[in-house]
Amino acid sequence: MILDFKQAPAEALSGRFDIAVAGAGPAGQVVARRCAEAGKRVVLLEGGALEYTGESQELYIGEELGVGYRGLSGSRLRYFGGSTNHWGGRCRPLDRHDFDVREDVALTGWPISYEEVAQYLPEACDILNIGLFNEDRTPVEGSETLVESYFRWSLEAPFAQMFDGAPVRFDLVWRDWFEASDAVTTVVNANVTAVEMDAGADRVTGFVVQGYDGRRVEIAADHYVVAMGGVENVRLLLNENRRHQDRLGNQGGMVGRCWMEHPHQNGGVYVITERLHSHLDRWDLMVDSIYARQKNESIVAPTTAFMRDANIMSAGLRLRRPNRRPLSEEEIAGAPFIRDLKFEEDYYRVGVIYMAWEQAPNPDSKLVLTEEKDALGMYRVGHDWRLLDIDFRTPRACLREVAKMLIRTGLGRLRLDDEMLVPGLPDDGGMNGGNHHMGGARMSATPETGVVDGDCKVHGVDNLYVAGSAVYPTGGHANPTVNIVQLALRLAKHLTA
Ligand SMILES: Cc1cc2nc3c(=O)[nH]c(=O)nc-3n(C[C@H](O)[C@H](O)[C@H](O)COP(=O)(O)OP(=O)(O)OC[C@H]3O[C@@H](n4cnc5c(N)ncnc54)[C@H](O)[C@@H]3O)c2cc1C
């Protein structure tokens, strides 16, 4: 059943639940549904309504303190289904090497193995309506430093119909199931604003839920899961650590730290031959790929060895859709860069190379609390996104390898943007994040380096868990949601074991 907190009868929220989940985005819905299917009595508390409302979205406003960002409100949605209500549906799981400790990069390494997460990939792909992935890093011909790998799309319909329910949007696909379920009590307009602890503060005793009309109720459960998105999970922990003397995973002062994005930026212009265009039919080079999203979209990425040799993080480079028709003689004559390429083959399609790359863990890149409170009395978040030298070295090193590969194979040429040629930290003007909010409640073996343990349980608290990308110690280069769903399935299994 789905209730509105404004009218929900007190008896529906009283008694003890097995599991209380805060937040009904993909992470929260997956945990709640799988726990209920395993026989648990679950309450799913969603701060927003079933549709967008201004009073809910306003709670997402924060203050920008670091590298320019599109804004914390614009990069997420606060209602049933969460940010999948406007996500793009681009999916790729983390690579095996993303879990490794790297001696050359501080704070890398997951405390759990790749296999522990990968076993949930088929089920996550099924939920997100994408085909299966396999170990798909094939060497790129003409390069020893690059591999070809690919994305899939959570979308069956052509691009033009993208807003008719696809890609998989969690406000729609599972709403009927939650409506019909007796095992999960779903409550919308129910904001979790505080976490009550017992005297010793090693167990949570209740989630405090507030409505927009001032109604306040405490929900009791055996286990508590915060699944409120990559920023709000951290904001709640920061707020509650102020009240509970840093006992909610902040023993090492790590709550909010190592917050990460996937920086995105154009790297330059490519010119390719008809040969490349016709051979690589899986690549994003396909002029029409955006209109037929069920096909794979190939990208190039650095090999594991090259990442270590060059001391860079991971990246995905996309030779984006080229112009729809070959360049005319007049156009070539008018473009010195192309005109002066003296090769046997015709270079006749141009496009932009676009990159998304992995940010290295950095304790100074963080979420903090400002002194301003929102309408529900919680401190608003300050977003201090910062980048290191390695975060600028990564895209440049990879771009150069793509340029070399195109030269070696004679398949094309790349003209790097000026910014990509200058050593040192460039102006960050052309760069932005991908709406991927990772870290801040990172997974670690000990509280000194993170906030949750390998089971996503908050260090030092017996029954409080975090679901979502806030727990990522590192984030690879790919969009995060399929991995969020894998981890949510894993958490549900842990909670029901
Ligand atoms: C424009 C855009 C495009 C994107 N495209 C892609 C893509 O192509 N591929 C990809 O993998 N990812 C993409 N993402 C990211 C993706 O949407 C997120 O990774 C995903 O939604 C995160 O899931 P989540 O459940 O952890 O959090 P969310 O989706 O943020 O869900 C959190 C839920 O918690 C609720 N909530 C918040 N605060 C409270 C509170 N105090 N009490 C109770 N409930 C609360 C919210 O209302 C929301 O329903 C995109 C994001 C955006 C914004």
Side-chain angles (χ1 to χ4, degrees), residues 19 41 116 151 436 455:
I19 295 158
R41 187 169 173 247
E116 283 193 58
F151 282 98
H436 305 159
D455 291 325

Side-chain angles (χ1 to χ4, degrees), residues 137-157:
R137 295 167 61 83
T138 32
V140 168
E141 201 188 323
S143 174
E144 288 175 359
T145 54
L146 298 172
V147 290
E148 184 192 344
S149 65
Y150 61 87
F151 282 98
R152 281 178 170 275
W153 296 89
S154 169
L155 178 69
E156 276 173 0

